[in-house]
Amino acid sequence: MKRRQSEVEEHRLGELAYLLQYKRIRRMYLRLKAPDGKVFITAPYYTSLSEIEQFISANLGWIEKQRKKREQLLRKPVHRFETGETVYVWGTAYELLILTDPDMVRQLCGQEAAEMMQRHQMASVKTENRKLMLACPAEFDAERRKQCLEAWLKRQMEAFLPVIFQGCGSLVGKRESSWYVRKMKTRWGTCNIKTGRICINLMLGHLPPEFLSYIVTHELTHLWEKGHGEKFKARMDLYYPQWKERRKEIEKLSYML
């Protein structure tokens, strides 16, 4: 009878927190778990904690090096939402143009729309020839311009997601009860397995569309399997064979956010 892998345990070695899981394997393995870079150890059954801690201590240099490399990859660019900045939409780079001059706003939006925008403190966003144009009142600060662009990006995603959910749902064989888009700091998506409600991170609108399909497939698969165990992975292999590559690639795209 095959012995099932153990539950994940939390341990500490001095100030270093790490996760430990026993498996039916012959040697120990160490990796850094996304998104926070926590140390994750898989070890053969009956390996003592002292052996595991010696293994971790011998690899402290590697852990530190990998964490620094991860921090560099995950470091997001600083946006001031000014003309000349690069903004990515669906993986394509656009030059941001902030238009506040009344004549330019009228040219872009029309006389009536320009007057309404000024009267009601509204904004308009358009893309053309790799330019992302934000027409807004001159008094809008960086935070307000950011909100305008994020609201526009959310509308783009909400228009695109029904097709994505339909296609991915057909592959997975499960349907969400509902979905919504929200900006999240640490997760690309979440799934409430009790209600079937799925949340998609707004930031995915900056990345190429294939990553949106990957995350939607991932969350729909949770309607079959709660955790990320072997059964979940087997289903992902079936529904989205490139999921492991996508998981690695997505960590390297922070420059697009």
Side-chain angles (χ1 to χ4, degrees):
M1 186 180 198
K2 267 192 175 182
R3 185 166 188 175
R4 298 175 63 185
Q5 64 189 36
S6 69
E7 296 295 322
V8 176
E9 305 170 2
E10 293 191 15
H11 293 270
R12 296 194 72 86
L13 175 59
E15 296 184 359
L16 178 70
Y18 68 93
L19 302 174
L20 170 64
Q21 186 175 40
Y22 290 103
K23 289 187 176 183
R24 194 169 178 269
I25 53 179
R26 294 185 177 182
R27 53 173 295 185
M28 279 187 280
Y29 294 92
L30 183 158
R31 65 185 173 90
L32 300 186
K33 191 174 178 64
D36 54 6
K38 181 170 280 190
V39 173
F40 193 103
I41 302 293
T42 50
Y45 286 107
Y46 309 116
T47 307
S48 67
L49 276 178
S50 61
E51 289 178 285
I52 291 168
E53 291 179 354
Q54 288 175 12
F55 177 68
I56 294 173
S57 297
N59 286 280
L60 286 176
W62 180 88
I63 292 170
E64 183 65 21
K65 182 179 179 181
Q66 294 302 311
R67 281 183 167 175
K68 286 182 179 179
K69 186 183 296 185
R70 179 182 291 268
E71 286 175 8
Q72 291 175 349
L73 288 172
L74 295 178
R75 192 172 295 135
K76 297 179 182 178
V78 176
H79 291 295
R80 295 181 175 82
F81 300 96
E82 298 173 347
T83 290
E85 286 187 12
T86 298
V87 176
Y88 286 85
V89 181
W90 300 127
T92 298
Y94 289 83
E95 181 186 359
L96 179 62
L97 298 179
I98 305 297
L99 307 177
T100 58
D101 179 79
D103 291 334
M104 296 182 71
V105 173
R106 279 193 292 270
Q107 185 177 349
L108 178 68
C109 306
Q111 179 68 31
E112 184 177 348
E115 291 177 359
M116 184 177 294
M117 286 169 54
Q118 186 62 44
R119 188 181 310 118
H120 299 286
Q121 294 290 282
M122 298 166 59
S124 177
V125 181
K126 291 186 178 181
T127 58
E128 184 178 328
N129 298 326
R130 297 291 181 90
K131 307 288 185 183
L132 179 61
M133 296 170 282
L134 169 62
C136 63
E139 54 267 31
F140 275 22
D141 60 10
E143 180 61 28
R144 194 73 181 275
R145 296 194 293 268
K146 172 186 173 183
Q147 292 171 1
C148 293
L149 288 170
E150 288 183 349
W152 173 82
L153 184 63
K154 185 178 181 181
R155 291 193 295 271
Q156 307 307 303
M157 291 187 67
E158 289 173 340
F160 191 33
L161 270 168
V163 177
I164 298 296
F165 269 103
Q166 182 177 3
C168 295
S170 297
L171 284 173
V172 174
K174 286 285 189 179
R175 296 288 183 181
E176 74 290 349
S177 63
S178 60
W179 57 265
Y180 62 105
V181 176
R182 182 168 67 88
K183 189 175 180 180
M184 294 185 282
K185 290 184 178 180
T186 60
R187 296 185 179 184
W188 293 111
T190 62
C191 176
N192 186 321
I193 59 172
K194 292 183 179 179
T195 65
R197 186 166 168 79
I198 290 175
C199 178
I200 299 298
N201 192 334
L202 173 68
M203 295 293 98
L204 282 165
H206 293 292
L207 308 186
E210 56 265 29
F211 291 94
L212 185 59
S213 299
Y214 156 56
I215 295 300
V216 169
T217 302
H218 179 110
E219 300 308 329
L220 286 171
T221 302
H222 278 306
L223 297 177
W224 286 110
E225 300 292 339
K226 180 180 179 181
H228 295 96
E230 296 305 315
K231 289 183 178 179
F232 177 87
K233 293 174 183 176
R235 286 187 178 275
M236 285 297 293
D237 287 339
L238 178 64
Y239 306 143
Y240 201 104
Q242 308 90 353
W243 72 273
K244 291 179 182 177
E245 288 79 5
R246 293 282 181 266
R247 184 178 62 182
K248 292 178 182 178
E249 292 167 358
I250 201 169
E251 294 183 3
K252 301 176 182 179
L253 299 180
S254 60
Y255 68 92
M256 291 187 177
L257 304 180

